[in-house]
Amino acid sequence: VVFRLRSFRHKGWLILGATMGYALAAAVLALVPVFAVALVATACLGLFDAIATTLRHAVVQLDTPDRLRGRVTAAYQMVSRGGPSLGQAQMGALAGGLGAPVALTVGAAVTFGYAAWLAVSGHTVKDYER
């Protein structure tokens, strides 16, 4: 799917759209009581995560000068892999207190809200073209 999207010029919008799609799929997974729908939501989580992650990584690789690529890639990996770990204790506490569906819904809402805010006000991401 990502390979087919390579000709789409506005990659920033693709990243934001995939992030919002991921958040919506997470909310559906948290709230749906039907197993078959949960499976579809889980597949959508994987699809949107693959699209957003691949495009973000490609942006880092393509727009970083050769002499800085190793350092920038290391910093990107620390943020993209380590950053989500910072909220795991809080989400675990929320899930322990209010239940996993509430915690997943809150996480989805925060993710969707931030991506939507960037789509409205953040010119750096939404205006990215390559």
Side-chain angles (χ1 to χ4, degrees), residues 24-102:
L24 289 174
V28 168
L29 179 62
L31 301 173
V32 71
V34 179
F35 183 70
V37 177
L39 284 177
V40 172
T42 303
C44 289
L45 279 172
L47 173 67
F48 290 128
D49 183 48
I51 292 170
T53 302
T54 302
L55 289 173
R56 285 191 318 264
H57 193 70
V59 167
V60 169
Q61 293 296 315
L62 293 172
D63 287 351
T64 302
D66 291 340
R67 62 185 172 77
L68 298 174
R69 187 164 293 124
R71 286 171 268 190
V72 171
T73 300
Y76 169 75
Q77 291 296 330
M78 286 190 316
V79 171
S80 67
R81 291 184 182 183
S85 298
L86 296 175
Q88 288 178 350
Q90 293 85 353
M91 292 306 287
L94 185 63
L98 300 176
V102 171

